[in-house]
Every structure is written in C-alpha cells, then in structure tokens.
Amino acid sequence: VQLQASGGGLVQAGGSRRLSCSASGSFFINYTVAWFRQAPGKGREFVSAVKYGVGTTYYDDFVKGRFTISRDNAKNTVNLQMNNLKPEDTAVYFCGVGRTITSMIRSPLGYGVWGQGTQVTVSS
C-alpha cells in the first residue's frame, strides 16, 4: 500500500483545515489508519485513528472535540477535519496504516506504512 497525505497549509488560529490520506494498492477498511504529527524538535505524537472493520475512532485528548476523523470507503480515503485550530497544532501531519491492535493504536510502532507528511501551520 502507498499513502498520499494532502490538505496542509497556513491557517489562522480558530480556523479549519481538512487533511486527506488516500491509498493505492489496498483498501483502508482492512487497516487501521492513523494521523500523527511531529513538531520541530519533538517526536511523532498520536492525533487520531480509525480502526479497521467497524471503524472505531480514537483521539488524543488535546484534539478531542476539535478534530474529526472519517473514512470514505468508496474513495479509499481517510479525512481529518480540524476545527478551532491553535498555534500548538502547528506540525507536519503524517498518516500511517497497519493491522494495528488496540493497545498499539496510539504508538507509531503500530503502523508499518507512512505517507510523506503535510505541513499545517497555524498563525496566532
């Protein structure tokens, strides 16, 4: 499977942005798909995930209530709708896929394939 992340850009604090992760070579419904982010000088941190099969969703506490992850099976795409963005959300956002067990969903080690990342910059 190959991933393509898109949708990043510059946005003012309080604004919205939608990221998309599209796949070729396989179907997202068979994989857990997650968004992680990495700010300069920091490690890759969990943002959100949608699990394979029924599509249970997971969120980091910092984004809960502001971000929404969704899976479009027809387009084989996972979207991350980000609302009420804050300067602290500035980072490179990566999507990853894997046959991830629940205990590993919030760890980057749970994902074997990653997209190239898309930069989100939130200005204050």
Side-chain angles (χ1 to χ4, degrees):
V1 59
Q2 293 183 321
L3 303 179
Q4 179 73 35
S6 61
L10 176 65
V11 61
Q12 288 189 330
S16 298
R17 202 80 187 177
R18 190 176 82 159
L19 305 183
S20 294
C21 180
S22 58
S24 61
S26 191
F27 294 101
F28 273 156
I29 195 170
N30 297 320
Y31 294 90
T32 295
V33 182
W35 286 96
F36 283 72
R37 65 187 182 187
Q38 189 164 12
K42 294 187 176 182
R44 194 165 293 193
E45 66 175 10
F46 174 77
V47 176
S48 183
V50 53
K51 196 172 180 183
Y52 61 82
V54 298
T56 304
T57 57
Y58 302 82
Y59 297 94
D60 179 77
D61 287 344
F62 191 73
V63 306
K64 197 175 295 183
R66 299 189 296 125
F67 292 11
T68 302
I69 193 169
S70 60
R71 188 176 67 200
D72 187 332
N73 294 332
K75 296 182 179 179
N76 208 31
T77 300
V78 170
N79 298 312
L80 184 69
Q81 177 66 41
M82 305 186 297
N83 298 328
N84 190 22
L85 283 161
K86 304 177 181 182
E88 307 91 281
D89 295 318
T90 295
V92 178
Y93 284 70
F94 297 88
C95 59
V97 298
R99 288 288 294 180
T100 313
I101 59 176
T102 303
S103 61
M104 292 296 289
I105 278 179
R106 299 173 185 271
S107 168
L109 298 178
Y111 304 89
V113 179
W114 294 90
Q116 82 286 6
T118 184
Q119 175 72 47
V120 174
T121 302
V122 184
S123 63
S124 57

